[in-house]
Amino acid sequence: MQISHHKVALIDYVLSDAQGKPIDSSSEDEPLAYIHGTDSLITGLEEELEGCSAGDSIDVVVPPDKGYGQRDESLVQTVSRDQFEAGVELEVGMQFHAHDEGDGPDIVTITAIEGDQVTLDTNHPLAGLSLHFDVTVVEVRDATAEELEHGHVHGPGGHHH
Ligand code: ZN
Protein backbone atom coordinates (compact mmCIF):
# COMPACT_ATOMS: atom_id res chain seq x y z
CA MET A 1 0.00 0.00 0.00
CA GLN A 2 1.28 3.46 -0.88
CA ILE A 3 0.94 6.65 1.11
CA SER A 4 -1.83 8.76 -0.36
CA HIS A 5 -4.72 10.96 0.77
CA HIS A 6 -6.22 9.78 4.08
CA LYS A 7 -3.89 6.83 4.56
CA VAL A 8 -2.37 6.44 8.01
CA ALA A 9 1.40 6.26 7.84
CA LEU A 10 3.78 5.33 10.65
CA ILE A 11 7.24 6.74 10.19
CA ASP A 12 10.57 6.72 11.99
CA TYR A 13 12.41 9.96 11.42
CA VAL A 14 15.48 11.90 12.39
CA LEU A 15 15.44 15.64 11.83
CA SER A 16 18.72 17.53 11.59
CA ASP A 17 19.74 21.01 10.54
CA ALA A 18 21.78 21.87 7.44
CA GLN A 19 25.01 21.15 9.36
CA GLY A 20 23.79 17.67 10.29
CA LYS A 21 23.16 18.50 13.93
CA PRO A 22 20.21 16.42 15.24
CA ILE A 23 17.19 18.51 16.27
CA ASP A 24 14.46 15.97 16.84
CA SER A 25 13.47 12.39 16.13
CA SER A 26 10.59 9.97 16.55
CA SER A 27 10.68 8.10 19.83
CA GLU A 28 12.73 4.93 19.98
CA ASP A 29 9.87 2.65 20.92
CA GLU A 30 7.16 4.21 18.81
CA PRO A 31 7.10 5.63 15.28
CA LEU A 32 5.18 8.83 14.56
CA ALA A 33 1.71 8.14 13.16
CA TYR A 34 -0.15 10.69 11.04
CA ILE A 35 -3.01 10.92 8.57
CA HIS A 36 -1.69 11.87 5.14
CA GLY A 37 -3.27 14.91 3.51
CA THR A 38 -4.47 16.58 6.72
CA ASP A 39 -1.57 19.02 7.15
CA SER A 40 -0.31 17.05 10.12
CA LEU A 41 3.24 17.26 8.81
CA ILE A 42 4.98 20.16 7.14
CA THR A 43 4.18 20.40 3.41
CA GLY A 44 7.66 19.58 2.16
CA LEU A 45 7.72 16.31 4.05
CA GLU A 46 4.19 15.19 3.10
CA GLU A 47 4.96 15.84 -0.57
CA GLU A 48 7.98 13.56 -0.48
CA LEU A 49 6.18 10.82 1.45
CA GLU A 50 3.35 10.65 -1.10
CA GLY A 51 3.62 7.30 -2.91
CA CYS A 52 6.07 5.70 -0.45
CA SER A 53 5.40 2.22 0.93
CA ALA A 54 6.38 0.40 4.13
CA GLY A 55 10.13 -0.21 4.17
CA ASP A 56 10.99 2.81 2.00
CA SER A 57 13.65 5.18 3.32
CA ILE A 58 13.95 8.73 2.06
CA ASP A 59 16.28 11.63 2.63
CA VAL A 60 14.53 14.96 2.31
CA VAL A 61 15.76 18.53 2.57
CA VAL A 62 12.82 20.84 3.23
CA PRO A 63 13.36 24.56 2.55
CA PRO A 64 11.77 27.06 4.99
CA ASP A 65 8.92 27.87 2.58
CA LYS A 66 7.74 24.25 2.77
CA GLY A 67 8.70 23.91 6.41
CA TYR A 68 8.05 26.39 9.21
CA GLY A 69 8.28 29.51 7.06
CA GLN A 70 10.74 32.37 7.02
CA ARG A 71 11.61 34.25 10.17
CA ASP A 72 9.57 37.41 10.74
CA GLU A 73 11.50 40.00 12.75
CA SER A 74 8.26 41.76 13.70
CA LEU A 75 7.54 38.72 15.89
CA VAL A 76 10.46 39.66 18.11
CA GLN A 77 9.44 42.02 20.88
CA THR A 78 10.73 43.32 24.16
CA VAL A 79 8.51 43.40 27.20
CA SER A 80 9.14 44.35 30.77
CA ARG A 81 9.81 41.62 33.29
CA ASP A 82 6.76 42.50 35.36
CA GLN A 83 4.60 41.09 32.53
CA PHE A 84 5.52 37.69 33.91
CA GLU A 85 4.19 36.14 37.10
CA ALA A 86 6.27 37.04 40.09
CA GLY A 87 8.54 34.25 41.25
CA VAL A 88 8.96 32.73 37.79
CA GLU A 89 12.66 32.26 37.08
CA LEU A 90 13.33 33.56 33.55
CA GLU A 91 16.25 32.33 31.48
CA VAL A 92 17.48 32.88 27.95
CA GLY A 93 16.41 29.90 25.84
CA MET A 94 13.26 29.22 27.88
CA GLN A 95 10.25 28.32 25.77
CA PHE A 96 6.59 28.42 26.63
CA HIS A 97 3.23 28.39 24.89
CA ALA A 98 1.24 31.57 24.48
CA HIS A 99 -2.35 31.32 23.41
CA ASP A 100 -3.24 33.86 20.79
CA GLU A 101 -6.87 34.59 20.17
CA GLY A 102 -8.11 32.06 17.67
CA ASP A 103 -4.76 31.20 16.23
CA GLY A 104 -3.76 28.23 18.37
CA PRO A 105 -0.73 27.97 20.57
CA ASP A 106 2.46 29.79 19.64
CA ILE A 107 5.84 28.82 20.95
CA VAL A 108 7.54 31.80 22.53
CA THR A 109 11.28 31.76 23.17
CA ILE A 110 13.15 34.13 25.48
CA THR A 111 16.15 35.27 23.44
CA ALA A 112 17.60 37.97 25.71
CA ILE A 113 17.22 39.42 29.19
CA GLU A 114 18.72 42.82 29.97
CA GLY A 115 17.87 44.39 33.28
CA ASP A 116 14.09 44.24 33.47
CA GLN A 117 13.71 44.01 29.67
CA VAL A 118 12.90 40.57 28.28
CA THR A 119 13.13 39.87 24.54
CA LEU A 120 10.59 37.38 23.23
CA ASP A 121 10.67 35.64 19.86
CA THR A 122 7.35 34.23 18.63
CA ASN A 123 8.82 32.78 15.44
CA HIS A 124 8.62 29.01 15.31
CA PRO A 125 11.99 27.76 16.61
CA LEU A 126 12.54 26.04 13.24
CA ALA A 127 11.49 29.04 11.09
CA GLY A 128 14.07 30.07 8.51
CA LEU A 129 15.87 26.72 8.63
CA SER A 130 16.38 24.13 5.92
CA LEU A 131 15.37 20.89 7.55
CA HIS A 132 16.97 17.57 6.76
CA PHE A 133 14.77 14.54 7.38
CA ASP A 134 15.86 10.90 7.31
CA VAL A 135 12.62 8.98 7.15
CA THR A 136 11.77 5.29 7.11
CA VAL A 137 8.18 4.27 6.47
CA VAL A 138 7.17 1.60 8.98
CA GLU A 139 3.56 0.97 8.05
CA VAL A 140 0.84 2.27 5.75
CA ARG A 141 -2.84 1.51 6.29
CA ASP A 142 -6.30 2.96 5.70
CA ALA A 143 -7.54 5.49 8.24
CA THR A 144 -10.69 4.45 10.10
CA ALA A 145 -13.82 6.61 9.89
CA GLU A 146 -13.31 7.54 13.54
CA GLU A 147 -9.72 8.64 12.95
CA LEU A 148 -10.79 10.85 10.05
CA GLU A 149 -13.54 12.34 12.18
CA HIS A 150 -11.12 13.12 15.01
CA GLY A 151 -8.36 14.26 12.66
CA HIS A 152 -5.72 12.13 14.37
CA VAL A 153 -4.46 8.57 14.53
CA HIS A 154 -5.59 6.16 17.23
CA GLY A 155 -3.39 3.44 18.70
CA PRO A 156 0.39 3.09 18.35
CA GLY A 157 2.07 6.41 17.62
CA GLY A 158 -1.21 8.28 17.96
CA HIS A 159 -3.83 9.12 20.56
CA HIS A 160 -4.92 6.66 23.21
CA HIS A 161 -8.41 7.54 24.34
ZN1 ZN B 1 -9.47 10.52 18.69
Side-chain angles (χ1 to χ4, degrees):
M1 186 179 282
Q2 292 183 323
I3 298 178
S4 59
H5 191 66
H6 283 179
K7 294 282 188 265
V8 168
L10 279 72
I11 59 171
D12 278 326
Y13 73 91
V14 176
L15 165 62
S16 24
D17 66 15
Q19 285 72 44
K21 192 177 124 238
I23 298 173
D24 187 23
S25 65
S26 48
S27 99
E28 257 173 48
D29 359 295
E30 208 172 66
L32 171 78
Y34 78 101
I35 305 175
H36 195 74
T38 57
D39 288 329
S40 308
L41 304 183
I42 54 175
T43 318
L45 191 52
E46 280 211 10
E47 280 178 2
E48 295 296 325
L49 281 165
E50 176 97 25
C52 288
S53 310
D56 286 352
S57 288
I58 55 170
D59 248 355
V60 189
V61 177
V62 178
D65 289 337
K66 289 187 173 182
Y68 293 95
Q70 301 289 353
R71 284 185 53 79
D72 177 354
E73 293 314 317
S74 73
L75 296 177
V76 178
Q77 51 172 312
T78 301
V79 300
S80 105
R81 197 175 187 124
D82 58 26
Q83 305 263 317
F84 295 88
E85 274 176 60
V88 176
E89 200 65 47
L90 301 178
E91 274 176 55
V92 171
M94 254 173 93
Q95 294 186 330
F96 49 92
H97 289 277
H99 290 269
D100 250 354
E101 273 118 72
D103 224 6
D106 280 322
I107 301 170
V108 180
T109 308
I110 296 180
T111 55
I113 302 174
E114 276 172 43
D116 71 341
Q117 297 294 298
V118 180
T119 305
L120 302 175
D121 188 346
T122 316
N123 284 287
H124 190 283
L126 300 178
L129 298 181
S130 283
L131 304 171
H132 180 188
F133 287 92
D134 263 314
V135 185
T136 302
V137 179
V138 177
E139 186 187 333
V140 184
R141 62 169 171 83
D142 289 312
T144 65
E146 195 186 41
E147 285 173 326
L148 291 174
E149 195 185 311
H150 289 200
H152 56 230
V153 174
H154 292 158
H159 286 238
H160 301 271
H161 66 105

